[in-house]
Every structure is written in structure tokens, then in C-alpha cells.
Amino acid sequence: MNGAICKLKRVLLIFALVFILPAWCHAGQTLTLMTHDSFNVSKEVIAEFERENDVVVRFLKSGDAGAALVQAILSKNNPMADLFFGVDNTFLSRAIGADIFEPYQSPMLEMIPDRLKLDNENRLLPVSYGDVCLNYDKAWFKEKGIAPPTDLTDLTRAEYKGLIAVQNPATSSPGMAFLLATIGKFGEGDYLNYWKKLRENKVLIAQGWSDAYFGHFTAASEGDRPIVVSYATSPPATVYYAETEPEEAPTVALVTDDNAFRQIEFVGILKGSKNVTVARKFVDFMLSKTFQEDIPLQMFVYPANSEANLPEIFIKYSKVAEKPLKVDPAAIETNREKWLEDWTNVMLR
């Protein structure tokens, strides 16, 4: 009798080791995505991935995009996460040069336009994009009887004196993008002359986007600046967050040819990840229609997947720049500090 009981116990133990414990271990698997503070996604979208892959997704928000990337680079020998989202084209060369990402040829890349793919080895895969450009207050210009600007060169004209708010490129991501827009438009040899004219025209320099938009922009504050550097998707955001939906957006984004700088954001699998298989599945998921169609109203940028449907408010109130300004990512990495120092000397000293 005792022998039969012992045999039964051994059978149950083997059954547990083979079938139950592995399931428990798998259920406890955690996938960590390191990203910037502006990252957002719907809970139900992430829940779908977690349910289908029996994994818990943890988000490690680590400051702005530049600060988060620096942390990822400094911890490359003992990575803090499995993936990183938020490297943009202004930091792409720094991220590639640090050699912290695993190449991954996701099958979902077929859905991404070639113009958004900037890494031939697919260490960084495009997830979203947005255009940084001038926004202006329609009501203010109508009331004053002044024509709104149609080109960056207009900002140096006398009628726009004291009307513009921009961000410090040393402390602001859109500020850096706007500085790059001016380099892309006027060239490295002449962009500082443009900024000197802006200074003479009493441009206001804010530390960050929130300070410029909600502290000085007439359409969003008690400020006195009817022109601000913001995003092409800011007009639909003003409608989306309005207490009562207006008949038309109160602001306009200037996305005419050669007047906006395109920011592209990428995701990559960090070298040293212990969850590479599920990390690849998460990259595929981020490029799928489910995740991509959640992006616009969570982060107010465009999805990279060309088959993703846009929300009606984007279709109605936003425009994509057909011919954005470009600066080579390698040139940005090489010259970033020099450009910032030169800009600071011209604008702040």
C-alpha cells in the first residue's frame, strides 16, 4: 500500500514539474519597455498583447527622449529594459553608434513606407512621426487684420515683430527640431543670420513646449504671442480637448513645402535582453494596426503603418507636410553641440 502511495506521489510530482511549473514560470514573465515621459497607450491595447502572449508589459519612463537614451547607453552592460521606444531621427546616429540595439527584420516592416526607414540594419524600426512647425491663432490675425505667415522667412518682417514664441533648442525637443528646420531651410552657412533677424524682431524664447504654448500662445493662454512653434497635430488636439467641439480648429499649422521638420520615432530591442523572443513579438505588435491606430489620440502623432486608419478628428483638422525639411542624422550627431553653442551665443548672450 505504502509503495503504491509513493509511486502516485512520484507521478504527481513529475506531472507538476512537466506541466504546471513551466506554466507558472511563463505567467510570471515580464517585458520592460524603456521610453520617454510622453509615451502613452491605451490599457486595453496592452492588455490584448499581454493576454495573447501570457506576459506582463512594464513601462519604464525615463525623462525626455534624450535623457532616456543616455540612461539606456550608460546601462548597456546591464540593460534596464528589453526594448527602447522614443529614439527620434535627431538622436538616431547617437543610438546606432552606441551599439545598444539588436537588428530585427520584423515582417511588419512591409507596412512601413521606405521614407520612414532610416536604419538599413533594422536596429531601430519606425513607429510614429510628426511635423514640428509654426502654429498661429486664426482669431488673433483676423481681429488685427494682419495676414498670417506663410513661410519661415515671413517671421523676420516688421509686421510680425514681437509675435513669435519659440523654444530653447538646448532644453526642448520641438525647439531642437525647429532649429534643425532653420538649418535645413537656410543652410549651415546662413541659418544664424536668420536667427539674428528673429532676435531683432523680438522673438520670445521659452524653456519648453508647455511654457511656450500654454504660457504665451494667444490661442491657449493669456499670453501675447499669436505664433508659436508646435506640431502639425496641435490643431486636432485643440479640438479634441475642447469642452465643446468648435466648428473649426482655432489654430492653423504651417506645413507648406520647406517649412516643417519631421520627427520620426523608433523602437529597438536592447542588446542583453533576456526576453528576445517576446520582445520581437512586441515590436511586431507596435507596428500592427491595433497599436498603430491607438497612437494618434494617445500621443498626437501619426502612425508609421500606412494601413492604419486615422481618427476622424485627424482627417478633419490635421495635415501632413508633403515636403518637410531634412537634415542628415549623422550631421546632426556630429554638429549638435556646435550648433547649440552657436545658437546660444547669438540668441542668449
Side-chain angles (χ1 to χ4, degrees):
M1 184 69 179
N2 287 341
I5 293 175
C6 289
K7 185 176 181 180
L8 177 60
K9 287 181 177 177
R10 283 198 297 272
V11 170
L12 291 174
L13 178 60
I14 293 171
F15 179 84
L17 289 172
V18 172
F19 295 104
I20 299 177
L21 287 180
W24 285 351
C25 292
H26 189 59
Q29 189 177 12
T30 298
L31 187 74
T32 303
L33 175 71
M34 192 174 188
T35 185
H36 53 62
D37 289 347
S38 299
F39 175 83
N40 206 12
V41 60
S42 297
K43 290 181 179 178
E44 56 269 25
V45 169
I46 290 302
E48 179 180 322
F49 179 83
E50 291 178 323
R51 186 171 56 252
E52 292 180 352
N53 293 278
D54 197 15
V55 66
V56 174
V57 179
R58 185 172 73 98
F59 299 105
L60 180 60
K61 294 189 175 182
S62 306
D64 63 27
L69 178 61
V70 168
Q71 291 185 62
I73 293 172
L74 292 176
S75 60
K76 63 185 293 184
N77 295 324
N78 188 22
M80 302 164 66
D82 301 292
L83 306 105
F84 187 100
F85 168 76
V87 173
D88 69 14
N89 43 324
T90 71
F91 284 107
L92 184 123
S93 290
R94 179 175 299 183
I96 294 296
D99 192 28
I100 60 173
F101 292 107
E102 294 274 358
Y104 175 48
Q105 182 72 31
S106 169
M108 299 304 295
L109 281 169
E110 294 181 4
M111 310 298 177
I112 309 298
D114 288 343
R115 67 178 184 278
L116 300 178
K117 300 172 186 172
L118 300 184
D119 177 24
N120 292 333
E121 296 183 30
N122 296 317
R123 291 158 293 188
L124 288 168
L125 295 80
V127 174
S128 60
Y129 68 95
D131 295 323
V132 174
C133 60
L134 298 176
N135 278 214
Y136 62 82
D137 180 350
K138 286 164 51 176
W140 189 95
F141 280 97
K142 183 177 180 180
E143 179 184 342
K144 301 295 182 182
I146 300 174
T150 59
D151 191 278
L152 294 184
T153 54
D154 290 344
L155 302 186
T156 62
R157 290 163 45 186
E159 57 263 45
Y160 299 110
K161 188 171 186 175
L163 302 187
I164 312 140
V166 304
Q167 299 86 15
N168 185 334
T171 56
S172 164
S173 176
M176 185 66 197
F178 187 66
L179 172 61
L180 294 172
T182 63
I183 293 171
K185 187 174 183 73
F186 302 106
E188 195 172 355
D190 208 31
Y191 80 99
L192 286 174
N193 289 329
Y194 175 74
W195 280 98
K196 288 175 183 175
K197 293 176 182 176
L198 287 186
R199 183 170 185 171
E200 292 169 1
N201 228 18
K202 306 297 182 186
V203 63
L204 184 148
I205 299 170
Q207 288 301 302
W209 178 85
S210 294
D211 182 25
Y213 199 89
F214 293 115
H216 300 283
F217 188 35
T218 53
S221 73
E222 298 298 321
D224 61 355
R225 303 285 167 147
I227 307 171
V228 68
V229 171
S230 192
Y231 296 89
T233 47
S234 294
T238 62
V239 174
Y240 184 74
Y241 289 111
E243 292 184 6
T244 304
E245 183 174 335
E247 293 184 359
E248 59 181 25
T251 61
V252 172
L254 185 60
V255 290
T256 50
D257 290 355
D258 296 331
N259 284 298
F261 183 83
R262 177 152 298 163
Q263 284 184 310
I264 307 169
E265 288 194 299
F266 302 83
V267 66
I269 300 170
L270 290 165
K271 285 187 172 179
S273 166
K274 294 181 173 63
N275 303 298
V276 171
T277 300
V278 72
R280 288 179 173 177
K281 290 182 178 179
F282 193 73
V283 170
D284 295 343
F285 183 70
M286 289 188 79
L287 302 183
S288 71
K289 285 185 66 175
T290 299
F291 190 97
Q292 291 278 299
E293 291 180 352
D294 190 56
I295 285 175
L297 295 183
Q298 294 298 322
M299 294 190 280
F300 278 90
V301 289
Y302 287 95
N305 186 329
S306 58
E307 296 193 357
N309 295 312
L310 292 173
E312 182 66 25
I313 202 167
F314 263 59
I315 296 172
K316 192 173 180 180
Y317 297 111
S318 71
K319 290 183 179 178
V320 175
E322 296 295 329
K323 188 183 173 189
L325 295 157
K326 297 178 180 178
V327 180
D328 180 64
I332 296 172
E333 182 59 24
T334 300
N335 298 297
R336 178 194 303 275
E337 298 308 319
K338 178 182 183 301
W339 289 341
L340 286 174
E341 184 178 353
D342 290 345
W343 181 91
T344 300
N345 286 334
V346 168
M347 300 305 292
L348 301 179
R349 290 173 181 159

